[in-house]
C-alpha cells in the first residue's frame, strides 16, 4: 500500500536531477578522452535519467490522483538497466579504436535487448515479478562496477573525499534496497529513504564534478 504525498513525490525529483547532473559530468569526463563515445554515453545518460523521471512522475500522479500507471513505474529499471550497462561500456572503452557508429549501435542494441528480455520474462511468468528481479540484479552489478571504477580513479587522482563519496553512494544503494523491502512502508520511513537518497546523489554529483574538473587535462 502506497502512502505517497505530493510533497514527497515532488522531493523525489531532486535525487533524480542530482544523479543526472553527476552522470553528465562523467559523460563529459569520458568524452574528453574519446569523442567517439559521445553517442554511446549520451544514450546511456538519457536511459538512466528517463527511468528516474518516469518513476518520480508515477509517484507524483499516484499521490495526486491515486491513479497507478504501472507502465510508468516499470520504466524505472527499463531505463536504469540499459543505461548503466552502456555507461560501463563507455568507461572501459575510452582507449577503444571503435568508430562512433559501432559504439552507438551497441547502445541501441542494449536498449532493445533489455526491453525484449523484460517482455519475454513478463510473457513467460505473468504472475511473478521475474522481469523486475532480473533487471534489478543487472542494474546492481553494472552500477556497482561503475561506482567502484569511479572511486578507484578518484583515489589515484588524490581526490580522496570524492572517492569516499562514490563508495558512500554504492553503500547507500544497498541500504535503500533493504529499506525498500520493509513491508510496512510508513510515510516516515519513505521520507527517510528519500532523504538518504538525496544525500547520496548529492554526494555523487559533487564527486563527479570534482573528478571531471580536477583531472580534465590529465589522461584517464
Amino acid at each position: 500500500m502506497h502512502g505517497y504525498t505530493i510533497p514527497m513525490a515532488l522531493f523525489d525529483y531532486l535525487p533524480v536531477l542530482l544523479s543526472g547532473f553527476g552522470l553528465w559530468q562523467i559523460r563529459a569526463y569520458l568524452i574528453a578522452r574519446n569523442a567517439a563515445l559521445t553517442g554511446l554515453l549520451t544514450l546511456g545518460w538519457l536511459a538512466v535519467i528517463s527511468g528516474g523521471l518516469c518513476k518520480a512522475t508515477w509517484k507524483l500522479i499516484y499521490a495526486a490522483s491515486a491513479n497507478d500507471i504501472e507502465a510508468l513505474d516499470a520504466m524505472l529499471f527499463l531505463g536504469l538497466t540499459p543505461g548503466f550497462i552502456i555507461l560501463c561500456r563507455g568507461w572501459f572503452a575510452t582507449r577503444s579504436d571503435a568508430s562512433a557508429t559501432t559504439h552507438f549501435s551497441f547502445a541501441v542494441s542494449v536498449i532493445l535487448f533489455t526491453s525484449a528480455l523484460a517482455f519475454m520474462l513478463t510473457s513467460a511468468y505473468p504472475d511473478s515479478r521475474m522481469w523486475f528481479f532480473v533487471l534489478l540484479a543487472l542494474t546492481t552489478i553494472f552500477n556497482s562496477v561503475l561506482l567502484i571504477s569511479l572511486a578507484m580513479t578518484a583515489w589515484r587522482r588524490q581526490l580522496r573525499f570524492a572517492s569516499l563519496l562514490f563508495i558512500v553512494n554504492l553503500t547507500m544503494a544497498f541500504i535503500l534496497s533493504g529499506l525498500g523491502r520493509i513491508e510496512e512502508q510508513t510515510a516516515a520511513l519513505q521520507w527517510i529513504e528519500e532523504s538518504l537518497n538525496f544525500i547520496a546523489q548529492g554526494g555523487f554529483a559533487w564527486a563527479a564534478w570534482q573528478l571531471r574538473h580536477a583531472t580534465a587535462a590529465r589522461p584517464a
Side-chain angles (χ1 to χ4, degrees):
M1 180 177 181
H2 305 295
Y4 302 132
T5 63
I6 291 178
M8 186 186 297
L10 290 173
F11 185 79
D12 201 43
Y13 280 96
L14 296 180
V16 176
L17 296 176
L18 287 170
S19 176
F21 174 81
L23 290 173
W24 188 263
Q25 301 306 304
I26 301 305
R27 171 191 172 277
Y29 174 84
L30 296 175
I31 289 174
R33 285 148 180 78
N34 186 344
L37 296 172
T38 300
L40 173 83
L41 294 168
T42 300
L43 271 183
W45 180 83
L46 284 172
V48 172
I49 194 71
S50 296
L53 288 174
C54 283
K55 176 70 174 186
T57 301
W58 167 80
K59 187 179 291 188
L60 180 60
I61 293 172
Y62 188 91
S65 65
N67 186 15
D68 185 0
I69 304 178
E70 294 184 0
L72 271 179
D73 187 18
M75 281 302 298
L76 175 63
F77 284 102
L78 287 175
L80 295 188
T81 303
F84 281 114
I85 293 174
I86 292 166
L87 291 172
C88 276
R89 164 67 180 264
W91 181 266
F92 293 107
T94 52
R95 293 184 175 85
S96 170
D97 293 329
S99 67
T101 301
T102 299
H103 288 306
F104 186 81
S105 297
F106 172 84
V108 172
S109 298
V110 168
I111 292 171
L112 293 176
F113 170 77
T114 306
S115 300
L117 177 63
F119 176 78
M120 288 188 293
L121 289 172
T122 301
S123 300
Y125 306 97
D127 298 324
S128 76
R129 299 190 72 198
M130 177 74 72
W131 71 271
F132 169 82
F133 292 112
V134 170
L135 295 190
L136 173 62
L138 288 172
T139 300
T140 301
I141 291 169
F142 285 94
N143 182 44
S144 298
V145 170
L146 181 62
L147 285 168
I148 291 170
S149 299
L150 287 167
M152 292 173 63
T153 299
W155 189 268
R156 288 197 301 268
R157 303 304 188 197
Q158 306 301 312
L159 300 170
R160 307 301 194 200
F161 188 56
S163 178
L164 175 62
L165 287 175
F166 287 130
I167 296 301
V168 167
N169 186 276
L170 176 59
T171 303
M172 199 66 70
F174 287 103
I175 292 173
L176 289 171
S177 178
L179 291 175
R181 293 192 183 96
I182 297 175
E183 186 172 348
E184 186 63 27
Q185 289 288 312
T186 64
L189 178 59
Q190 290 176 52
W191 272 116
I192 290 172
E193 292 173 5
E194 291 198 4
S195 298
L196 290 175
N197 194 28
F198 173 76
I199 293 169
Q201 298 308 329
F204 172 78
W206 185 87
W209 186 88
Q210 284 286 305
L211 181 61
R212 175 192 176 186
H213 290 280
T215 65
R218 299 167 64 179

